[in-house]
Amino acid sequence: MELTTVDIDIGTRSPTVLMHGSDAATLGLHPLDRVHIGTDSGTVVGIVELSDELVDPGELAVTRRLGHVDGVVEVTPAPRPASVEFIRKKLDDDELERDELDRIVHDIREDRLSDVELGAYVCAMYINDTSLAETMHLSESMANAGETLSWQEEVVADKHCIGGVSGNRTTPILVAIVAAAGVTVPKTSSRAVTSAAGTADTMEVFCPVDLDAKAIRRVVTETNGCLAWGGAVNLSPVDDKIIRAETPLSLDPHGQLVASVLSKKQSAGSTHVLVDIPYGEGSKVSSLADARELAHDFRRVGDHLGMTIDCAITDGGAPIGRGVGPVLEARDVLSVLSGSGPGDLRRKSVRLAQILLECAGADADAGEILESGRALDRFRDIVAAQGGDPDVTLSELVPGRHERTVTAGRDGVVTHVDNRLINEVARRAGAPRAPGAGLELHHRVGDAVARGDPLCTIHAEDESRLAEATDHAERAEPVRIRPPDETLVERV
Amino acid sequence: MELTTVDIDIGTRSPTVLMHGSDAATLGLHPLDRVHIGTDSGTVVGIVELSDELVDPGELAVTRRLGHVDGVVEVTPAPRPASVEFIRKKLDDDELERDELDRIVHDIREDRLSDVELGAYVCAMYINDTSLAETMHLSESMANAGETLSWQEEVVADKHCIGGVSGNRTTPILVAIVAAAGVTVPKTSSRAVTSAAGTADTMEVFCPVDLDAKAIRRVVTETNGCLAWGGAVNLSPVDDKIIRAETPLSLDPHGQLVASVLSKKQSAGSTHVLVDIPYGEGSKVSSLADARELAHDFRRVGDHLGMTIDCAITDGGAPIGRGVGPVLEARDVLSVLSGSGPGDLRRKSVRLAQILLECAGADADAGEILESGRALDRFRDIVAAQGGDPDVTLSELVPGRHERTVTAGRDGVVTHVDNRLINEVARRAGAPRAPGAGLELHHRVGDAVARGDPLCTIHAEDESRLAEATDHAERAEPVRIRPPDETLVERV
């Protein structure tokens, strides 16, 4: 059928075209069917949506994702992409082959799948689970779909945390220790999406973090390490597109998680990787058994990809460190590197660094490197190489000047500090966009407190945000207190 | 956050708003998250998409599905709808309660779910299957979501075929017989989407079919029956929206199919329903066992809804009747009603009519009603009442004047006539939009043919369509011939 194209001002992810219902009926097309659109310069594939309001019969509305298509075009029904047949196959619980996963990853990268199909992919991987072989193939496919970094060094160390714990800013400390020990550790990190700060947000308090591949190489050559934002290098473009379909349903299929992490590590050229798997109430993994299973899969898939993986299963039931929010976490990091700071953050960072050093075959003592000040020196080198002020002091890291302290409503013992609620309070205060916003925790689980004792101090950069966050903290009780020896949690 | 609205010219199904990535980050929003949009006249819910090209920071692009929203609005993150939690629950294979299914159906009707969520719903129902209780609740929810018809009569007969068989135009004959027997049978049918003709397309050769509820009532009062297009009365608005997500993946979850059919029948006020379940190669149900299971579910759910259901499991491995395409099927219908016509179509129509009459408690002989000419008279009454010419003759039903006959390439026996391929040939010839297009079959399975014998004659309304359809028929071989006693089908 010949149709005349009209442009339509919409930024769809996939190559949508709008047709009038009567033209679609003539061609026997359903919504979301594919069509071939023949132009003078070749044929492109569009995904059909119907609209009797926005287009007239004889017209084809073309969105900008489709590229340059204009004038009169020939429209014919096109078969669905092979990747949709493979998603269908996985829905029927058949194992997917390597080339089938390649095809799916390719079509996701090129935005050739509709949201219905992408949703089906995620659900199929979630309900029918992935075999180890599928996870391996998927990791490779995803790694091959993006940019890659490569290194001269035989050992390239790296670290990933599956997330879910507030504070927990171990990465800058660990990278400083490992780099100081002479091991190459080109670390890229994410910004926060739903948390109060990502490592990239915290590091940005010290220095620029959006380094391209060339800048990363330069910083690593100078210092053995870097602390960059991963978004400026396109290591796993498919990952974000899959996450888009996982998030609305809070699905995080096991195999997809492993493939997502390890494909990025492979693209980054890493050879020895430590994965931090926190578990506990309010974190991503709820039981030790699940954490162990995930760790085994990371190791086996890593092995297949030629990487050495070590996993640390850690306590994820409560925040790590004192501060939550970019500046407040940066203060914790600088304190620990300077020899003081929160004990749990210091201890966890040293433990993880030691495991990674051992995994990478380096004969070095992480605790000694931290205590000697060599880690701090190396951290300052990295900050300088990335364009920040290497001489920054704690007094220059100023949290939001509007502050209020929430106090204990009763005598008792702190029995739980809730990651999710702490996050919400910090975000309401303005984190991570307002770097000084967030909160400081004055107590850890197990501490005895008296009525009126300070529990946490909320910081914000303006008064209305402060009021909103304080309100939330007083209502939601992110820090739970019970009388000593009380085991009843709630009567429902 | 305060944002200024801009209109965007896009006809999305769900209430999409576009935000700049930086604003979304400030609010901690992912793509497909919900937001509350506060205006002077109240709050509406939008589904977020990100675009740094189409909107600037501080702007909110609003699509027309959202209704009237303009000026500066207050945007805050909103929780996901409860229905999404219920879809998540079904993904985890938990049975859904009545009120949970109500909620899902309600949100689908109101277009409150994104395509990712709709895809997940269909996949969850497909992979995790539906219990009988779920199918019952779903049927009720879907019936309650649309318009309804109601009748004075105690017995209202109806019929549905789950489809997949070419030709097979039993409905007009059956309705004529049942109405002539004095039983009320207000039949609404669909148009073809991927087949060569729906009953509504075929009936439109005789008379107008887009009757609203009032017109249906008038025709039924005059004649006991009608043969209308269902699209003009909005009996199950949710069904089309669910089918939209099923089609791209060719999913047709069992429970969803039963709920879809029976909810429409309940909305139509039917009390006694015959369901035709063809099975065999190339139809929707492939084995007798599956057909039986489906039949049992139809009966049990119908029982729950207060309807009496009878199911006919029929041979669906080959087309029924001689013609495929609106005019050619109309010729078959008129021939059978006039006492001749294809034997398989006549026999099947009489058998189904007899079952429906018995189910409805009518003491009448379907064969006698047909042979006596009373069915033809009643058919002409219905055509007249719907505004067509009651005196139409076979010679006035003229197929497309461009025709070509495909002949047997060898001596042998017809072993298979493929529904799907026959459909494709008829559609390439122009059916159903060109009513005269389609094909006539000259042989049935089991017939002996000699090389050069005519197999089928293709009709089209223009020469280029004819050439395309003939080409396809010669390549795809919809009519398979093997030497007598040959059991080898293909060597691969």
Side-chain angles (χ1 to χ4, degrees):
Chain A
M1 175 183 287
E2 285 203 338
L3 298 174
T4 304
T5 59
V6 293
D7 282 334
I8 188 160
D9 183 20
I10 139 178
T12 54
R13 194 186 48 76
S14 45
T16 304
V17 294
L18 296 187
M19 293 177 74
H20 193 272
S22 64
D23 290 335
T26 302
L27 292 175
L29 293 168
H30 292 94
L32 304 183
D33 275 349
R34 264 73 177 182
V35 284
H36 282 133
I37 302 164
T39 67
D40 290 345
S41 54
T43 297
V44 293
V45 174
I47 299 182
V48 173
E49 291 280 6
L50 306 188
S51 172
D52 291 356
E53 287 173 26
L54 297 174
V55 289
D56 290 324
E59 284 184 349
L60 182 77
V62 177
T63 56
R64 53 178 78 187
R65 271 294 293 143
L66 217 68
H68 184 70
V69 174
D70 64 6
V72 175
V73 293
E74 177 67 28
V75 176
T76 49
R80 40 169 106 144
S83 51
V84 174
E85 303 301 335
F86 303 145
I87 293 171
R88 185 70 173 71
K89 181 178 169 188
K90 185 69 194 170
L91 282 170
D92 285 329
D93 206 8
D94 285 342
E95 189 169 4
L96 294 179
E97 307 290 333
R98 174 195 298 264
D99 58 335
E100 294 170 341
L101 284 161
D102 275 348
R103 198 70 226 171
I104 291 173
V105 166
H106 176 266
D107 282 355
I108 293 175
R109 187 186 68 188
E110 301 296 321
D111 288 323
R112 290 198 185 146
L113 299 185
S114 70
D115 274 2
V116 166
E117 292 152 354
L118 209 53
Y121 168 71
V122 172
C123 290
M125 298 299 261
Y126 175 74
I127 302 183
N128 289 333
D129 226 338
T130 45
S131 70
L132 196 64
E134 284 178 320
T135 306
M136 288 171 182
H137 297 325
L138 185 61
S139 304
E140 281 187 308
S141 297
M142 290 176 69
N144 293 338
E147 273 187 54
T148 53
L149 301 176
S150 59
W151 305 95
Q152 300 287 326
E153 291 76 6
E154 263 182 42
V155 171
V156 178
D158 207 340
K159 182 252 177 192
H160 180 85
C161 176
I162 67 161
V165 178
S166 305
N168 197 29
R169 201 54 56 216
T170 58
T171 298
I173 304 166
L174 172 144
V175 166
I177 295 173
V178 172
V183 175
T184 301
V185 56
K187 180 77 182 92
T188 59
S189 304
S190 54
R191 294 186 189 278
V193 180
T194 54
S195 71
T199 293
D201 300 307
T202 301
M203 280 311 299
E204 207 165 32
V205 173
F206 296 103
C207 56
V209 294
D210 36 352
L211 311 184
D212 60 15
K214 201 177 140 199
I216 287 177
R217 188 169 298 282
R218 182 185 51 75
V219 173
V220 173
T221 305
E222 287 174 24
T223 69
N224 285 344
C226 73
L227 284 153
W229 173 49
V233 279
N234 201 18
L235 294 179
S236 190
V238 174
D239 205 36
D240 285 347
K241 295 173 196 279
I242 292 175
I243 288 172
R244 178 173 179 282
E246 291 176 344
T247 310
L249 296 148
S250 303
L251 296 178
D252 201 357
H254 197 115
Q256 192 66 51
L257 169 65
V258 172
S260 156
V261 171
L262 294 186
S263 64
K264 274 189 201 157
K265 295 307 176 196
Q266 194 174 45
S267 297
S270 310
T271 61
H272 295 72
V273 181
L274 172 62
V275 182
D276 178 9
I277 305 177
Y279 84 94
E281 183 182 347
S283 67
K284 287 193 183 173
V285 177
S286 55
S287 77
L288 182 56
D290 287 352
R292 281 182 182 146
E293 198 187 317
L294 190 58
H296 281 275
D297 281 0
F298 270 117
R299 292 185 65 118
R300 275 180 291 200
V301 175
D303 202 43
H304 170 79
L305 296 172
M307 292 186 283
T308 305
I309 310 287
D310 239 305
C311 293
I313 298 175
T314 59
D315 184 350
I320 301 285
R322 181 180 165 94
V324 176
V327 167
L328 290 157
E329 293 177 24
R331 289 175 61 88
D332 278 359
V333 166
L334 195 58
S335 302
V336 169
L337 286 166
S338 306
S340 58
D344 58 351
L345 179 64
R346 183 173 63 245
R347 193 168 172 80
K348 181 170 180 182
S349 303
V350 170
R351 292 280 273 170
L352 295 183
Q354 189 65 47
I355 294 172
L356 183 55
L357 285 170
E358 283 166 15
C359 166
D363 180 20
D365 181 336
E368 191 275 324
I369 293 172
L370 182 67
E371 279 156 35
S372 68
R374 284 161 57 208
L376 177 61
D377 292 345
R378 184 52 56 106
F379 181 75
R380 294 193 186 282
D381 294 343
I382 293 172
V383 167
Q386 292 192 190
D389 172 13
D391 301 319
V392 62
T393 60
L394 263 190
S395 59
E396 291 168 277
L397 302 176
V398 186
R401 67 188 178 85
H402 298 268
E403 62 172 80
R404 199 159 308 155
T405 295
V406 177
T407 57
R410 58 156 89 160
D411 296 353
V413 173
V414 175
T415 57
H416 181 68
V417 184
D418 195 275
N419 283 312
R420 194 176 53 78
L421 295 174
I422 289 291
N423 241 333
E424 279 179 21
V425 171
R427 288 194 68 100
R428 283 178 194 233
R433 302 290 284 191
L439 52 83
E440 283 174 280
L441 296 164
H442 300 303
H443 287 287
R444 300 184 52 200
V445 171
D447 286 0
V449 293
R451 183 185 162 93
D453 278 358
L455 292 180
C456 64
T457 301
I458 301 170
H459 292 267
E461 295 185 356
D462 66 72
E463 190 57 43
S464 71
R465 286 290 211 164
L466 180 66
E468 196 189 329
T470 310
D471 240 42
H472 191 64
E474 282 168 353
R475 260 181 300 116
E477 291 194 82
V479 181
R480 284 185 222 152
I481 298 165
R482 286 210 301 269
D485 298 327
E486 176 62 85
T487 55
L488 177 73
V489 177
E490 231 168 70
R491 186 173 165 183
V492 180
Chain B
M1 174 184 289
E2 285 202 342
L3 298 174
T4 305
T5 59
V6 293
D7 282 334
I8 187 159
D9 183 19
I10 138 175
T12 54
R13 195 184 48 76
S14 46
T16 304
V17 295
L18 296 187
M19 295 178 74
H20 193 271
S22 63
D23 289 334
T26 303
L27 292 175
L29 293 168
H30 292 96
L32 304 183
D33 275 349
R34 264 74 175 180
V35 284
H36 283 134
I37 302 164
T39 67
D40 291 344
S41 52
T43 297
V44 292
V45 174
I47 298 181
V48 173
E49 291 281 5
L50 307 187
S51 172
D52 291 357
E53 286 172 27
L54 297 174
V55 290
D56 288 325
E59 284 184 350
L60 182 77
V62 177
T63 55
R64 55 176 77 185
R65 271 295 292 145
L66 217 68
H68 184 70
V69 174
D70 63 6
V72 176
V73 293
E74 178 67 27
V75 176
T76 49
R80 41 170 104 148
S83 51
V84 174
E85 303 301 336
F86 303 146
I87 293 171
R88 187 69 172 72
K89 181 177 167 188
K90 185 69 194 171
L91 281 170
D92 285 330
D93 206 10
D94 285 342
E95 190 170 3
L96 294 179
E97 307 290 333
R98 175 195 299 264
D99 58 335
E100 294 170 340
L101 284 161
D102 275 348
R103 198 71 226 169
I104 291 173
V105 166
H106 176 267
D107 282 357
I108 292 175
R109 187 185 67 186
E110 301 296 320
D111 288 322
R112 289 196 185 146
L113 300 186
S114 71
D115 274 4
V116 166
E117 292 152 354
L118 208 54
Y121 167 71
V122 172
C123 291
M125 297 300 261
Y126 176 75
I127 303 183
N128 289 334
D129 225 339
T130 45
S131 71
L132 197 63
E134 285 178 320
T135 305
M136 288 171 182
H137 298 326
L138 185 60
S139 304
E140 281 187 308
S141 298
M142 290 176 69
N144 293 338
E147 275 187 51
T148 54
L149 301 176
S150 59
W151 305 95
Q152 300 287 325
E153 290 75 6
E154 262 180 43
V155 171
V156 178
D158 208 340
K159 181 254 176 190
H160 180 84
C161 176
I162 68 161
V165 178
S166 306
N168 197 30
R169 202 53 57 215
T170 57
T171 298
I173 304 166
L174 172 144
V175 166
I177 294 172
V178 172
V183 175
T184 301
V185 57
K187 180 77 183 89
T188 59
S189 305
S190 55
R191 292 187 191 277
V193 180
T194 54
S195 71
T199 293
D201 300 306
T202 300
M203 279 311 298
E204 208 165 32
V205 172
F206 295 104
C207 55
V209 294
D210 36 351
L211 312 184
D212 60 17
K214 198 175 144 203
I216 287 177
R217 187 168 299 282
R218 182 186 50 76
V219 172
V220 174
T221 305
E222 288 173 23
T223 69
N224 285 345
C226 72
L227 284 154
W229 173 49
V233 278
N234 202 18
L235 294 179
S236 190
V238 173
D239 205 36
D240 284 348
K241 295 175 196 278
I242 292 174
I243 288 172
R244 180 173 178 282
E246 290 176 343
T247 312
L249 296 148
S250 302
L251 296 177
D252 201 357
H254 196 114
Q256 191 67 50
L257 169 65
V258 172
S260 156
V261 171
L262 294 186
S263 64
K264 274 188 202 159
K265 295 307 176 196
Q266 194 175 45
S267 297
S270 310
T271 60
H272 294 73
V273 182
L274 171 63
V275 183
D276 178 8
I277 305 177
Y279 84 94
E281 183 182 348
S283 67
K284 286 193 183 174
V285 176
S286 55
S287 76
L288 182 57
D290 288 352
R292 281 182 181 145
E293 197 187 316
L294 190 57
H296 282 277
D297 281 2
F298 269 117
R299 292 184 63 119
R300 275 178 292 199
V301 175
D303 202 43
H304 171 78
L305 296 172
M307 290 185 283
T308 304
I309 310 286
D310 238 304
C311 293
I313 298 176
T314 58
D315 184 350
I320 300 286
R322 180 180 166 94
V324 176
V327 167
L328 290 157
E329 294 178 24
R331 288 176 61 89
D332 279 359
V333 166
L334 195 59
S335 301
V336 169
L337 286 167
S338 306
S340 59
D344 57 351
L345 179 64
R346 183 173 63 242
R347 193 170 173 81
K348 182 170 178 183
S349 304
V350 169
R351 293 281 271 171
L352 294 184
Q354 189 66 47
I355 295 172
L356 184 54
L357 286 170
E358 283 166 15
C359 165
D363 179 19
D365 180 336
E368 192 275 323
I369 293 173
L370 181 68
E371 279 158 35
S372 67
R374 285 161 58 207
L376 176 61
D377 292 345
R378 185 51 55 105
F379 180 75
R380 294 194 187 281
D381 293 343
I382 294 172
V383 167
Q386 291 192 190
D389 172 13
D391 302 320
V392 62
T393 60
L394 263 191
S395 61
E396 290 169 278
L397 302 176
V398 186
R401 65 186 178 86
H402 297 268
E403 61 172 78
R404 199 160 307 157
T405 296
V406 177
T407 56
R410 59 156 89 159
D411 296 352
V413 172
V414 175
T415 57
H416 181 68
V417 183
D418 195 276
N419 283 311
R420 194 176 53 78
L421 295 174
I422 290 291
N423 243 333
E424 280 180 21
V425 171
R427 288 193 69 99
R428 285 179 192 231
R433 299 294 281 193
L439 52 83
E440 283 174 280
L441 295 163
H442 300 303
H443 287 287
R444 299 183 53 197
V445 170
D447 288 359
V449 293
R451 183 186 162 92
D453 279 358
L455 291 181
C456 64
T457 301
I458 301 169
H459 292 267
E461 296 185 355
D462 66 73
E463 189 58 42
S464 71
R465 287 290 211 162
L466 180 66
E468 196 189 329
T470 310
D471 239 43
H472 190 64
E474 281 168 354
R475 261 182 298 116
E477 291 194 81
V479 181
R480 283 185 222 152
I481 297 164
R482 286 209 301 270
D485 298 327
E486 175 62 87
T487 55
L488 178 71
V489 176
E490 231 168 70
R491 186 173 165 184
V492 181

